[in-house]
Amino acid sequence: MSRGGATLALALGFFLGAGAAAAASPEELARGELLFHIGGCTNCHTAEGGPLLAGGDPLETPFGRFYAPNITPDPETGIGRWSEADFLRAMREGRSPSGAPYYPAFPYTSYAKMSEADLRALKAYLDTIPPVRRPNREHELGFPYNVRWGLLLWQWAFHDPAPFRPDPTKSEAWNRGAYLVLGPGHCAECHTPRTWYGALDDSRAFAGGRLGKEVIPNITSDPEKGIGRWTAGDLRGLLVIGIKPDGDFVGGDMAKVVRNGTAKLPEADREAIVEFLLSLPPR
Ligand code: HEC
Ligand code: HEC
C-alpha cells in the first residue's frame, strides 16, 4: 500500500473506531451495565470508599496478595487507551495488550464464556465510567507465582476460551441462567473447589469447600450438603436481599455478590438463575 493509502486507511480506521464508540445505543449501554453488575467488577476493582473501578483492596489468595488494577478509562493509569479488541482479548484469553498472561485471580476463566455482543456492550459501558488517575499497585506474590510468564503454561493446560454453548434440550430460561452463572456471574470461581493446580474441579462443580480462610457452601441440589431443601422462594430471598431460609443474612464476599450483582438484575434474569441453580446435580 502507498503511504497515502496507509494514511487514509489509518484515518478511516480512526474515524470508524471513534464512530463505533460514539454509537453505543442506550440499549447497549443498559445491557453493558447489567453485565457490569452481575460481573461483580466493582467487588474487586473498587477499594472500600475509593473511586469506582480505580483499583481494589488487597485480594488474599493462597498464592499471595493481588491488587485488581484501575480499569477506568484514564489513559495513563487505567485502560483508556485500550481498543475493543484489547478488551475482548483480556476477557477471553486472559492476555494483556502486550500479550502477557493474566493471573486467574481475574476470573477471565469464566468471562471467556460471555458472548462477543455482551463483551462489546460491557466495554461500551465501562467507557462511560469517570476516568480516575490512580497508579496500580504491584501484586505481592512469592516465588514461583511471581513469574508471570509461567502462567502461559497454566493457560495452555487449563484455560478453555470457548464461549458458552446453550443446551437445546433445556428451556430458554435455564440456558439464560446457566449463561449468567457460568459466564459473567462467575459463581463457580468461588463455589467450585479447585485442583492442586488451581483449576476448577468440574467433577465437583458447585460443591463448595474452602477458599483461603472462607468456607464456601455447597450450592448443588444435594439435600444434606447442598441447598436441595431450598424452595425457589428461598433462593429468590437470597438473591434479592441475601437472606437465608434460617433468617440469617449472608456475609463477606457473598454479601457483595448480592448487593452489587444479583439484587440489581431484572426479575426474569434472577428467575433464570433460580431455575438453573435448582437443577444442579447433587455433589
Ligand atoms: C475476583 C476479583 C475480580 C473480579 C470480580 C474482576 N476482576 Fe478484573 N482483575 C482482577 C485482578 C486481580 C486483575 C489483575 C490480573 C493480573 O495482574 O494478572 C484484573 C485485571 C483486569 C483487567 C486488566 C487490566 C490491566 O490493566 O491490564 C481488566 C480489563 C479487568 N480486570 C476487567 C474486569 C471486568 C470488566 C470485570 C467485571 C466483569 C472484572 N475485571 C472483574 C480481579 C478481578
Ligand atoms: C467471591 C466468592 C463468591 C462468589 C463469586 C459467589 N459466591 Fe455465593 N457464597 C460465597 C460465600 C462465602 C457464601 C457463604 C456466605 C455466608 O453464609 O455468609 C456464599 C453463599 C451462597 C449461597 C447460600 C448457600 C447457603 O447454604 O447458605 C448461595 C445460594 C450462593 N452463594 C449462590 C451464588 C451465586 C448464584 C453466585 C453467582 C451469581 C455466587 N454465589 C457467587 C462466595 C461467593
Side-chain angles (χ1 to χ4, degrees):
M1 200 189 291
S2 72
R3 252 201 33 233
T7 313
L8 182 68
L10 261 176
L12 201 64
F14 177 77
F15 177 75
L16 290 175
S25 64
E27 291 75 29
E28 188 176 25
L29 291 178
R31 180 173 176 169
E33 184 177 8
L34 185 155
L35 295 159
F36 160 78
H37 290 316
I38 188 63
C41 316
T42 194
N43 297 348
C44 292
H45 286 275
T46 305
E48 185 83 42
L52 188 66
L53 299 185
D57 288 320
L59 295 168
E60 307 288 347
T61 76
F63 310 101
R65 192 173 291 136
F66 291 93
Y67 294 92
N70 182 339
I71 55 166
T72 72
D74 182 65
E76 306 297 330
T77 61
I79 60 169
R81 291 218 179 93
W82 284 32
S83 67
E84 196 177 65
D86 290 337
F87 181 74
L88 262 64
R89 188 173 186 212
M91 298 289 282
R92 295 207 279 218
E93 292 169 41
R95 296 290 176 86
S96 76
S98 67
Y102 288 122
Y103 289 94
F106 165 27
Y108 59 84
T109 36
S110 291
Y111 298 147
K113 298 194 165 60
M114 291 170 72
S115 71
E116 181 153 337
D118 274 359
L119 286 169
R120 286 177 196 277
L122 177 57
K123 168 78 164 69
Y125 178 73
L126 291 178
D127 286 344
T128 69
I129 302 278
V132 176
R133 204 186 155 76
R134 187 175 188 265
N136 291 328
R137 288 188 66 166
E138 295 261 339
H139 307 314
E140 293 156 29
L141 310 171
F143 183 80
Y145 306 115
N146 56 356
V147 184
R148 187 177 280 278
W149 294 99
L151 289 165
L152 285 179
L153 195 64
W154 189 91
Q155 290 188 337
W156 176 78
F158 303 115
H159 179 47
D160 173 10
F164 173 77
R165 268 206 194 89
D167 178 347
T169 68
K170 299 286 195 339
S171 73
E172 202 176 306
W174 185 95
N175 275 303
R176 174 70 177 162
Y179 175 75
L180 290 171
V181 164
L182 301 172
H186 69 278
C187 315
E189 301 280 344
C190 290
H191 283 282
T192 296
R194 286 173 192 273
T195 63
W196 193 81
Y197 297 104
L200 296 180
D201 180 358
D202 288 334
S203 72
R204 308 265 310 129
F206 297 100
R210 290 195 87 87
L211 192 70
K213 283 184 213 118
E214 263 197 297
V215 178
I216 311 284
N218 180 321
I219 56 169
T220 71
S221 58
D222 187 285
E224 305 299 332
K225 292 176 265 170
I227 59 170
R229 295 220 174 91
W230 291 33
T231 64
D234 291 339
L235 254 182
R236 256 174 234 134
L238 186 114
L239 298 176
V240 179
I241 55 169
I243 196 167
K244 294 189 270 191
D246 64 8
D248 238 8
F249 284 87
V250 288
D253 285 345
M254 191 61 204
K256 287 191 191 172
V257 169
V258 172
R259 178 163 20 97
N260 298 329
T262 56
K264 294 195 165 153
L265 288 179
E267 204 176 316
D269 279 345
R270 231 176 357 251
E271 287 304 309
I273 291 182
V274 168
E275 180 169 341
F276 174 70
L277 287 183
L278 291 179
S279 81
L280 286 174
R283 289 198 213 271

